[in-house]
Amino acid sequence: MDIKAYIALSLTLFTIGIIGVLVRRNAIIIFMCVELMLNAVNLLLLAFSKMHAMSPAAKALPTYASDAQIFVFFIMVVAAAEVSVGLAIIVLLYRNTHSVDVNFLNRLKN
Amino acid sequence: MSVSKLIWLIPILPLIGFVINGLGRKLLSKTIAGVVGSTVVLASFVISLLVFMEIKAGHSIATIHFFDFIHLSKLNIGFDFKIDQLSSLFLLIITGVGFLIHLYSTSYMHEEDSKDFAKYFAYLNLFVFSMLLLVMGGNFVIMFIGWEGVGLCSYLLIGYWYKNQNYTNAAKKAFVMNRIGDLGFLLGIFWLIAKTGTISYDQVFTTAALDNLSDTDITGITLLLFVGATGKSAQIPLYTWLPDAMAGPTPVSALIHAATMVTAGIYMIARSHVLFSEAHFTQHVITVIGLATALLAASIAIKQNDIKKVLAYSTVSQLGFMFLALGTGNYVAAVFHVLTHAFFKALMFLGSGSVIHAMGGEQDIRNMGGLGKHMRITSITFLIGCLAISGIPGFSGFFSKDEILAGAYAHNPVLFGLALFAALLTAFYMFRLYVITFTGKFRGTHEQEHHLHESPWAMTLPLIVLAILSIIGGYVGIPEALGGHHELAAFLQPAVPTAAHQLDHGTEYMLMGISTALVLVSIIFAWMKFKNYQPEGEATGFGKILQNKWYVDELYHAIIVKPLNALSSFLSNIVDKKGIDGIVNGVGKAVNYGSRQLRWIQSGQVGAYVLLMVIGILFLFIVQFFYPFW
Amino acid sequence: MLGTYFTFPELMIWLPLVAGILCFFTKKESAAKSIAIIFSLLALAVSVTSLFYTADKFSSYNNVNYYWMKYLGNSLNIGMDGTGRILTLLTTLSFPIIFIATSGRSYKNAPAFYGLMLLTQAGLTGVFVSVDALLFYFCWELALVPVYFLCSKWGGEKAIPTTFKFFVYTFTGSLLMLIGIIYVYLHTPARMFEDHTQVAHSFSLTAFYNANLSATEQNWLFWLFFIAFAIKMPVFPFHTWQPDTYDQSPTSVTMVLSGIMVKMGLFGVIRWLIPVFPLATANYSHLVMILAIIGIVYASCIALVQDNLKKLVAYSSIAHIGLMCASLFAMNEVSVQGMMIQMFNHGINIIGLWIVVEMIERQTGVKTISQLGGIAGKAPVLTIMLLIIALANIALPLTNAFTGEFLMFSGLYTFNPVYAAFAGLGIILAAAYTLNMIQKIFYGEANIITADVKDIAWNEKLVLGVIVCIIFVVGVYPQPLIELTKSAVNMLVSKVH
C-alpha cells in the first residue's frame, strides 16, 4: 500500500486530536484527544519504519527494521504513565471543584 | 648664624600663634590670647627686619627650597621661598603694620567673649601666615596657596559676627568674587605650565623660558593673571566685594582690606613684571582699568555716609592708582604707593575704629561731628592721614602719588589729567569726611555724647606710630627733581626695574605745582562746604546715583545672580527631574505598560495556551515550507 | 612569614568576608558592632603594612594566583598595583571611620546590618585587587548586592522604590559590561596554565590587554563598558539615581556609596576600559570629556538651588566625579596623577561631610537647609570641623583636594584650554553653594529646630579629627601619595600614547 495513505490517515487523526483539544472543555475528552495525537504519531512512525526497512541501503544495519518501532514502545509506555498521572490529577480536580471544565481552571492567572 | 636660616620662622610663627589660639580658645584668657597673637607677629617682624637688613647690606638671599610639593616627571613644584628686595619690603609692611593692628585689636576687641577673642586672633594670625606665604613663595603655586589663604581669612573675618546675616552675605560675596579672580589666576598658571613646563620664578622669568612663549601666550597669561589681580585687589569689574567687606571688625578692614591683602594683586604684577613688560596690550588694559576704578570709586566715595564705606571706596580708588602705575610700567611707583598707602590707610581705618569705638558702634558720619574736641589724638592722627592721602607736600602720599602722576604724564598727558581729577576727588571726600566727623557740633544722641572718650593707649599708640610713618614714610623715595636719590628705587632695582621714562625737572616741578595747588583748592572747598554741615534729606539726581554706587550691585544682581539662579532652578526642576529622570523613569514605565498590555495572552485558559501553541507551530511549518533555508 | 601563606590583598578580602559571615551569627548588636570595628581595623592594619612592601622584590606579597574555573580560562588572580593600592587604602580606611562615626546609632537587626556592610567591604576590595575579568565582574556584583539590601531595609521612607531604581540602573550597566567582557573574552588568545593545561580563551588582564579587536569592535565595546562605569561614577546624564539614593539610604551606606563605590567606576575605566580599548578611547575621549564637563557645571548649578542637604552633597559629588572623569580621559601624566590622588582625597572628604550631615540630621531630624540655622553658636567644634572639610572639598590650598584639583586642571588645560575653563566654572560655583550651605546651616541665630543641638561626641571627634589630620597632612605633603601611584599612572598613560 502506498505510504501516502498512512500519512493521510495519521494526519487526519492528529488534526482531529488537535481540534478536540482546542474546542472541547471537558478535561477527560481533552485527555483522550491528546492520546489520539500520540497514536497518530505512533502510526506514522510505524509506517515510516516499514518503508525504511524496504530500502536496500538500510539493510546494511543490523537494527534496520526495529529503530522506529522501539520509539513507538517508548511513546506507549510514556503515554501510559502520563495517563495514570493525568487521570489522577483530574480525579483530584473533580474532588476539589466538582468540575472537569478546563475553562474554569484559570487560577494561574493573577 | 646666618639670617637665611631663620627665614622659615617668619611664616611659621604666626601659624604657631594660630594653632595655639585656635586650639586653646576655650582655655586661654583674653590677655594670653592677645599677647600670643601679637608676640608671634612681632617676632616675625624682628626676623623680617633682620632679613631686610641683610638684603639691604647687599647679601642676596636666593631661593630656599624646603621640600618637593608636587614632583612629577614633567612638572616639579617645590615648596620654595624667594626672598629678594621686593618680598623683603612686603615682609616688613605685613609684619610691621600687622603687629600694630594686632596690638590695636587687643583693646578694640576687648568686649568680645574670651572664646571669640581667641578665635579672632587665631584668624588674624592665620591671615598673616597666608599673606607671608603669598609674598615669600618662590613660585606661582606657593603664591596661590597664600592667595587663597588670605581670601579664606578675609571670609572668616568679614563673617566674624556670624549671627548677622548681612555680614555673612558680605563674607560670602567676598569669597566668591575672589574665586572668580582666582580662576583667572589659576588658568594663567596652567597656561604657563602648558607652555613652559615650570612655574618657578627663577625659571619662568628667564629669556630661555620667555622664548618659548609667543606674543599671544604672553598676552593671554598676563591678562589671566590680571583677572586674578582684579579679584583680590578690588578692581573693576570685581571690586564690589570690598565695600561690603567693611562688615568685619575695623582692625580687620585696616589690615586686610587696606594695608596688605588687597595689595596682593600689585605684588603679583610687580613680581611678574618681566612678563607684563612684554605684554603691551595687557598694560593698556591695566592702565584703563586702574584709572577707571580710581575715578569710579572716588566718585562714589563722595556721597557715602558710612565712615568705613568712605574709606573702603577710597581704598579701591587708591588701588586703582597703583594699577595705573603698573600699567604705565612704573612698578617702583606702585610698590612705593603700596608702602605709603599701607601707612596712611591703616592709620585712617584704625582712626575710624577709634571713632566707632567711642561712638558705641555708630558708623554714620551724619550722627557724628565735633569729635576732635573729645578725641584729640585720634583727630590729629586722622588729619595727618587725610593730608597724606591728599598728597600735601611733605607727607608720604605726596611723593608716591606724584611719582604715579608723573609716570602717567610721561605716558600720556590725558592719563595725567584724569588721574589728577581722581586725586582731587580724593582730597575732597577725605576732607568732607574729616570735617563732618571731627569739626562742628555733635549731632548724635546725648547718651553717645556723654560716652565720648579718647581710646586707651593700645589703640592710640598704633595711631601715633602710623601717623609718624605716614609723614616720614615718603622720604625713602624723594625724587631727583627735589634733590633726593629715591632710595627705594635704588633698593628695589635688582628685583623691580625703575620706569624707563625720564621727565626733565622743569616738567616735574610744573606737575607738582599744578597738583598741589589744585589739591589745596579742593581741600579748602571741601572745608568751606562742610564746615556747617547739616544732614540733608535723600539725595536726588546725580547725587542719588552716586549714593547708590552707580547701581553696580543691582546690575550684577540682575545680569548674573538672578539669571544663574533661574537657570539653576530650571535645570533642577525641569531638566533634571522631568527631563533626564523622566526618561529614566519613562523606560521603566514603558516596560510596565508593555507588560500590562501583554497580560491578556496569559489568560490562564488552557485552551488559549494550546491555541497559541498550535498557531506558533503552524507558523513555523509555513515558514519552513516556503523558506526552507531560512 | 605572612607573605608565604597569605598575601596582603587576600587578607584584605578574607578579613571582612569572614567577619561579615561571623556577624550574621551574632545575636547582640554590641557584638556585631565590635566585630565590625575590630576586623575593619585589622584590614586597615594590613593595608597600611602593605604600603611598606611596594618595592618590586616584595611582589609575592601582593600577588597571588589560584585555580578557579580553569576550564573557562579563569583564575582567582589578585594583586595590587598603584591604583589598587590607593583604593584599597581608601576602602580599608573608610570602613573603620564609618563604623566608629556611626557607632552611636543603633539599627534594628544590627547583626545583619554589620554583616552586610562587611560583605560590601569584601566586594569592594575584591574589585580593586582582581586581575581576572570574571573575578572582577563577580566582585563588582558582590559589592552591589549587599548594598541593595542595606538601602532597602534600613533606608528612609521612600527607600524601596529608590533602591529599586538604583539597583536596576546599575544592574543594567553591569549586564552590558558582562556582554562586553564575554565578547572580549572570545577574542583573547589561548591561555596556558602553569600545570600545562591549555584553554582556548582567557579572562586574565594581560589577555584582555592583548585581545585581538578591530577598531570598529573597540568602538562599540567601549560603550558597553563605559555605560556601566558611567552609571557607577556617575557621569551626566546617567546620574539621576544618585541624589535619591544618597538621600534615602542610611547614612553609613551613603558614605560607602559616595566615598568608595563611585570610585569603582573610575577604577573600571582605569583598569578595564582605557587599556583594553585604547583606540576607542582616543576616539571618544572628547565626547566623554564634554559629557563630564557638562556634568560639572550642571550639577554645580543644581547644587546651588538645592534645599535638601543630602542632595546638595550628592550633586557636589557628581560635579567632583565629573572633573575626575574628564581629567582621566585627558590622558596625560599630570591630569591622571591628579585624578589618582583625588580619588583618595575625595573619598576622605565626602565621608567627613556625610558624618557631619548625619549628625545634623540625627539631632534635628531635619535635612532641609532653609529650616536650619545658627548651629555655629551651639556646636562650635562641629562647625569648625565642617568648615575645614567643606573647604577641603572645594579644594582650598593646603588641604588635600587642592593638589589633586590643581594637577587635574593643569592636565586638562594642557589637553584643551577651553575644557579647563568651563570645568573651572565649577570651582566658582562650588564655592558659592558650599558657602551658601555653611551660611544657612551654621550662621545666624539658632531657631527652634536647632536650639537643642549638642556639640560632637568623642567618637565623632575622633574620626573627624583623623579626617582633618589626613586633610592637612596630605594637603601639605602630597608627595607620598604621588609616589604610590606614579608607576601606575605612567603605565596607563603609555598604554594610550
Side-chain angles (χ1 to χ4, degrees):
Chain A
M1 202 197 247
D2 193 9
I3 185 82
K4 280 178 187 161
Y6 289 101
I7 293 175
L9 175 63
S10 161
L11 269 181
T12 315
L13 282 174
F14 194 83
T15 314
I16 290 170
I18 283 183
I19 291 171
V21 168
L22 286 182
V23 300
R24 298 307 295 255
R25 289 160 61 184
N26 188 317
I28 296 184
I29 295 189
I30 288 174
F31 215 69
M32 286 162 67
C33 290
V34 172
E35 292 300 317
L36 203 57
M37 288 194 287
L38 283 174
N39 284 326
V41 174
N42 280 347
L43 184 62
L44 202 58
L45 275 171
L46 280 177
F48 282 144
S49 162
K50 184 84 182 142
M51 198 185 83
H52 180 66
M54 285 192 283
S55 80
K59 286 196 173 140
L61 293 168
T63 57
Y64 70 97
S66 58
D67 280 356
Q69 293 166 26
I70 289 169
F71 259 106
V72 173
F73 279 114
F74 266 114
I75 292 172
M76 283 162 74
V77 170
V78 170
E82 184 202 321
V83 165
S84 58
V85 175
L87 277 176
I89 291 173
I90 290 170
V91 168
L92 276 174
L93 272 178
Y94 185 75
R95 278 195 197 157
N96 276 316
T97 63
H98 297 286
S99 157
V100 285
D101 184 343
V102 288
N103 281 6
F104 188 67
L105 302 171
N106 57 358
R107 290 224 188 134
L108 277 176
K109 189 183 174 187
N110 300 328
Chain B
M1 189 168 61
S2 155
V3 175
S4 61
K5 291 262 159 55
L6 292 175
I7 282 174
W8 62 276
L9 278 172
I10 298 177
I12 290 296
L13 281 168
L15 186 65
I16 292 171
F18 161 69
V19 172
I20 293 175
N21 274 332
L23 293 181
R25 54 201 193 93
K26 283 185 189 155
L27 313 171
L28 300 179
S29 72
K30 282 191 210 176
T31 323
I32 297 177
V35 167
V36 168
S38 310
T39 315
V40 287
V41 182
L42 181 63
S44 282
F45 175 67
V46 172
I47 301 171
S48 305
L49 206 58
L50 292 175
V51 172
F52 181 79
M53 292 302 183
E54 190 95 338
I55 289 177
K56 186 109 198 322
H59 304 288
S60 70
I61 299 174
T63 306
I64 309 162
H65 177 75
F66 292 104
F67 57 87
D68 284 340
F69 184 54
I70 296 171
H71 184 96
L72 306 178
S73 60
K74 281 187 196 139
L75 180 66
N76 192 356
I77 301 169
F79 208 100
D80 298 345
F81 284 170
K82 184 179 174 70
I83 307 296
D84 63 355
Q85 288 80 3
L86 184 61
S87 47
S88 67
L89 184 69
F90 270 83
L91 287 184
L92 280 188
I93 299 175
I94 295 161
T95 52
V97 178
F99 167 66
L100 290 174
I101 290 169
H102 276 72
L103 180 63
Y104 180 93
S105 301
T106 54
S107 171
Y108 186 84
M109 300 300 285
H110 212 265
E111 280 151 37
E112 298 289 313
D113 286 349
S114 71
K115 240 196 303 184
D116 291 338
F117 191 76
K119 184 177 85 176
Y120 172 84
F121 274 96
Y123 288 166
L124 220 51
N125 280 338
L126 184 63
F127 169 78
V128 174
F129 164 73
S130 311
M131 193 68 208
L132 289 171
L133 267 193
L134 194 161
V135 296
M136 293 172 88
N139 56 47
F140 280 108
V141 169
I142 305 299
M143 186 198 269
F144 185 77
I145 291 175
W147 188 271
E148 288 254 289
V150 291
L152 168 69
C153 297
S154 159
Y155 164 77
L156 292 172
L157 284 164
I158 296 169
Y160 172 72
W161 285 301
Y162 59 80
K163 291 193 174 162
N164 184 324
Q165 204 195 340
N166 287 336
Y167 293 0
T168 48
N169 276 342
K172 200 171 70 183
K173 183 175 174 185
F175 195 86
V176 172
M177 284 200 131
N178 267 308
R179 273 241 149 172
I180 298 174
D182 292 351
L183 176 62
F185 190 1
L186 267 183
L187 290 175
I189 294 178
F190 297 146
W191 198 329
L192 211 52
I193 292 178
K195 293 292 172 187
T196 65
T198 175
I199 41 154
S200 125
Y201 301 146
D202 293 343
Q203 286 163 20
V204 172
F205 302 140
T206 56
T207 40
L210 290 178
D211 285 345
N212 285 336
L213 299 170
S214 68
D215 282 351
T216 334
D217 291 336
I218 291 184
T219 311
I221 292 169
T222 48
L223 272 180
L224 286 169
L225 292 180
F226 177 60
V227 169
T230 57
K232 194 103 317 184
S233 294
Q235 297 296 295
I236 291 173
L238 297 175
Y239 72 92
T240 55
W241 66 269
L242 185 57
D244 287 10
M246 294 302 125
T250 308
V252 170
S253 311
L255 178 60
I256 301 186
H257 305 123
T260 51
M261 182 183 92
V262 287
T263 60
I266 289 111
Y267 171 78
M268 185 247 275
I269 293 178
R271 172 57 81 198
S272 13
H273 64 86
V274 178
L275 286 174
F276 279 84
S277 299
E278 301 270 315
H280 297 294
F281 177 70
T282 315
Q283 284 193 314
H284 292 315
V285 173
I286 295 176
T287 312
V288 170
I289 298 256
L291 194 55
T293 314
L295 282 167
L296 182 85
S299 70
I300 296 173
I302 290 174
K303 276 288 175 188
Q304 297 303 308
N305 291 323
D306 182 321
I307 184 167
K308 287 181 73 182
K309 284 271 162 78
V310 177
L311 292 175
Y313 279 105
S314 156
T315 307
V316 176
S317 172
Q318 297 298 312
L319 290 166
F321 272 106
M322 297 174 206
F323 277 97
L324 171 64
L326 293 172
T328 51
N330 207 349
Y331 301 106
V332 173
V335 175
F336 189 18
H337 203 55
V338 167
L339 178 73
T340 57
H341 178 256
F343 296 147
F344 58 69
K345 190 49 70 57
L347 166 64
M348 284 192 283
F349 263 115
L350 295 185
S352 76
S354 178
V355 168
I356 294 166
H357 193 68
M359 294 286 294
E362 176 66 63
Q363 299 195 6
D364 194 328
I365 54 173
R366 284 173 297 191
N367 299 332
M368 299 177 185
L371 298 184
K373 291 190 283 280
H374 303 276
M375 314 174 67
R376 201 149 291 273
I377 302 176
T378 309
S379 165
I380 292 172
T381 51
F382 202 92
L383 182 62
I384 292 171
C386 289
L387 291 169
I389 197 176
S390 305
I392 299 296
F395 293 90
S396 63
F398 169 73
F399 299 102
S400 53
K401 194 176 274 184
D402 172 69
E403 205 174 322
I404 294 174
L405 292 178
Y409 183 83
H411 222 254
N412 189 339
V414 179
L415 292 180
F416 171 77
L418 291 169
L420 181 60
F421 182 59
L424 296 183
L425 289 177
T426 309
F428 179 78
Y429 67 69
M430 280 327 302
F431 276 88
R432 168 180 176 266
L433 179 66
Y434 181 77
V435 172
I436 292 179
T437 311
F438 290 101
T439 69
K441 278 229 279 294
F442 187 70
R443 291 179 297 275
T445 60
H446 250 317
E447 204 181 324
Q448 282 174 323
E449 187 165 17
H450 184 68
H451 186 252
L452 284 178
H453 60 90
E454 183 56 277
S455 304
W457 71 268
M459 284 165 76
T460 51
L461 181 68
L463 289 179
I464 296 167
V465 175
L466 284 169
I468 295 169
L469 286 171
S470 297
I471 299 171
I472 63 165
Y475 294 100
V476 297
I478 303 171
E480 282 176 30
L482 294 178
H485 294 294
H486 210 313
E487 300 206 7
L488 185 72
F491 172 68
L492 288 174
Q493 183 61 37
V496 181
T498 318
H501 74 84
Q502 278 305 330
L503 292 174
D504 58 66
H505 291 182
T507 322
E508 280 202 45
Y509 289 138
M510 184 193 73
L511 296 179
M512 284 178 207
I514 293 175
S515 61
T516 311
L518 288 175
V519 162
L520 280 173
V521 170
S522 172
I523 291 173
I524 293 165
F525 176 62
W527 200 292
M528 288 301 150
K529 189 165 159 43
F530 295 106
K531 199 170 59 181
N532 299 312
Y533 175 77
Q534 280 303 322
E536 65 235 45
E538 278 297 297
T540 50
F542 191 59
K544 192 174 177 194
I545 296 179
L546 290 183
Q547 200 161 29
N548 286 304
K549 307 146 197 169
W550 296 94
Y551 294 101
V552 173
D553 274 324
E554 285 78 4
L555 182 73
Y556 283 174
H557 193 259
I559 61 169
I560 296 173
V561 180
K562 256 168 101 184
L564 182 64
N565 277 335
L567 173 73
S568 303
S569 301
F570 172 74
L571 288 179
S572 172
N573 295 330
I574 310 293
V575 178
D576 208 48
K577 289 206 185 101
K578 303 244 165 68
I580 298 174
D581 209 26
I583 292 172
V584 174
N585 289 338
V587 172
K589 283 202 187 111
V591 171
N592 240 334
Y593 177 80
S595 316
R596 203 157 294 143
Q597 297 313 302
L598 285 172
R599 230 169 65 167
W600 67 268
I601 297 175
Q602 305 286 326
S603 61
Q605 306 277 349
V606 180
Y609 296 140
V610 177
L611 180 63
L612 275 177
M613 196 170 88
V614 170
I615 289 171
I617 290 169
L618 279 178
F619 176 74
L620 284 179
F621 279 160
I622 290 163
V623 168
Q624 186 67 28
F625 191 75
F626 287 106
Y627 306 96
F629 303 107
W630 188 54
Chain C
M1 251 320 274
L2 193 63
T4 325
Y5 303 106
F6 285 109
T7 57
F8 293 123
E10 261 183 297
L11 274 176
M12 279 189 273
I13 297 180
W14 294 134
L15 281 173
L17 195 66
V18 169
I21 292 166
L22 264 181
C23 272
F24 283 110
F25 292 105
T26 53
K27 291 275 185 309
K28 277 197 302 197
E29 172 158 16
S30 57
K33 202 181 284 175
S34 345
I35 289 177
I37 291 176
I38 289 168
F39 274 81
S40 59
L41 282 173
L42 276 177
L44 174 63
V46 173
S47 169
V48 171
T49 318
S50 79
L51 294 181
F52 297 101
Y53 292 87
T54 55
D56 278 337
K57 58 179 171 174
F58 292 117
S59 67
S60 65
Y61 290 109
N62 293 316
N63 242 312
V64 73
N65 202 342
Y66 296 114
Y67 296 137
W68 185 52
M69 298 203 270
K70 200 156 68 172
Y71 54 94
L72 281 176
N74 185 44
S75 64
L76 206 139
N77 187 355
I78 49 188
M80 290 195 290
D81 64 345
T83 326
R85 218 168 249 130
I86 200 163
L87 284 171
T88 45
L89 180 65
L90 174 66
T91 313
T92 49
L93 185 62
S94 304
F95 272 89
I97 288 179
I98 293 169
F99 286 137
I100 294 173
T102 56
S103 65
R105 181 165 248 204
S106 84
Y107 299 93
K108 56 172 200 268
N109 198 0
F113 180 85
Y114 286 104
L116 287 168
M117 284 290 275
L118 286 163
L119 289 188
T120 315
Q121 183 183 358
L124 285 166
T125 316
V127 168
F128 298 141
V129 299
S130 50
V131 190
D132 262 54
L134 199 59
L135 183 65
F136 169 74
Y137 184 78
F138 178 79
C139 293
W140 178 276
E141 296 300 343
L142 181 66
L144 177 64
V145 174
V147 169
Y148 169 75
F149 288 110
L150 285 167
C151 291
S152 54
K153 246 186 121 178
W154 285 273
E157 69 267 34
K158 279 186 290 183
I160 302 280
T162 311
T163 318
F164 186 69
K165 182 166 157 189
F166 158 65
F167 189 82
V168 170
Y169 219 139
T170 45
F171 199 68
T172 312
S174 307
L175 284 180
L176 292 178
M177 180 171 72
L178 182 62
I179 296 169
I181 287 178
I182 291 170
Y183 191 91
V184 179
Y185 165 72
L186 293 175
H187 288 76
T188 51
R191 180 171 195 173
M192 179 75 96
F193 284 95
E194 276 128 40
D195 58 357
H196 300 292
T197 5
Q198 188 167 359
V199 188
H201 298 295
S202 160
F203 275 113
S204 80
L205 186 65
T206 34
F208 267 53
Y209 286 180
N210 297 324
N212 178 20
L213 297 167
S214 70
T216 346
E217 284 170 316
Q218 286 200 11
N219 283 347
W220 64 266
L221 281 168
F222 176 87
W223 288 103
L224 289 183
F225 278 73
F226 181 72
I227 287 174
F229 300 142
I231 289 172
K232 209 80 177 187
M233 281 193 242
V235 174
F236 175 87
F238 302 104
H239 64 274
T240 50
W241 63 268
Q242 201 205 32
D244 290 334
T245 311
Y246 285 9
D247 185 28
Q248 290 298 325
S249 306
T251 312
S252 43
V253 180
T254 309
M255 291 176 203
V256 175
L257 281 173
S258 59
I260 313 166
M261 213 156 216
V262 296
K263 310 298 182 307
M264 278 165 64
L266 289 165
F267 175 84
V269 173
I270 294 171
R271 182 168 284 177
W272 295 102
L273 184 71
I274 290 173
V276 179
F277 312 117
L279 296 176
T281 307
N283 220 348
Y284 292 122
S285 62
H286 279 278
L287 185 53
V288 172
M289 285 167 80
I290 288 170
L291 277 183
I293 288 165
I294 291 175
I296 297 173
V297 179
Y298 177 85
S300 304
C301 276
I302 291 180
L304 210 53
V305 292
Q306 195 55 250
D307 200 30
N308 181 327
L309 182 54
K310 291 177 120 180
K311 286 192 180 176
L312 186 145
V313 180
Y315 277 106
S316 99
S317 175
I318 295 174
H320 284 116
I321 296 285
L323 178 59
M324 287 184 229
C325 180
S327 51
L328 177 53
F329 277 90
M331 265 300 145
N332 54 50
E333 187 206 354
V334 177
S335 69
V336 176
Q337 181 65 65
M339 175 260 159
M340 209 57 111
I341 58 178
Q342 186 66 4
M343 284 201 293
F344 180 80
N345 294 329
H346 174 261
I348 296 293
N349 293 347
I350 199 131
I351 287 174
L353 267 185
W354 284 120
I355 292 174
V356 178
V357 169
E358 198 254 4
M359 265 174 336
I360 293 170
E361 197 197 343
R362 195 180 53 200
Q363 295 202 12
T364 62
V366 168
K367 54 191 173 187
T368 315
I369 293 173
S370 51
Q371 291 178 9
L372 296 161
I375 292 181
K378 297 282 168 192
V381 181
L382 177 68
T383 309
I384 292 167
M385 294 289 189
L386 176 97
L387 199 61
I388 294 172
I389 295 168
L391 291 174
N393 199 35
I394 60 173
L396 217 71
L398 293 190
T399 62
N400 55 0
F402 171 70
T403 328
E405 283 208 2
F406 182 86
L407 290 174
M408 287 196 288
F409 274 114
S410 178
L412 207 54
Y413 189 95
T414 317
F415 185 81
N416 188 333
V418 181
Y419 291 176
F422 272 98
L425 291 178
I427 297 186
I428 299 170
L429 292 169
Y433 65 70
T434 307
L435 297 187
N436 249 336
M437 174 197 62
I438 292 175
Q439 184 192 22
K440 284 186 188 149
I441 296 179
F442 290 95
Y443 297 156
E445 296 285 351
N447 55 23
I448 298 173
I449 293 172
T450 56
D452 297 330
V453 172
K454 291 191 181 52
D455 217 340
I456 55 183
W458 69 269
N459 59 336
E460 291 148 349
K461 212 180 256 182
L462 175 74
V463 285
L464 287 178
V466 168
I467 288 175
V468 167
C469 281
I470 294 172
I471 284 175
F472 283 125
V473 170
V474 176
V476 176
Y477 193 50
Q479 196 59 27
L481 279 187
I482 293 177
E483 293 294 336
L484 189 64
T485 48
K486 210 176 206 170
S487 58
V489 170
N490 285 329
M491 217 195 75
L492 180 64
V493 174
S494 67
K495 277 267 195 283
V496 177
H497 294 297

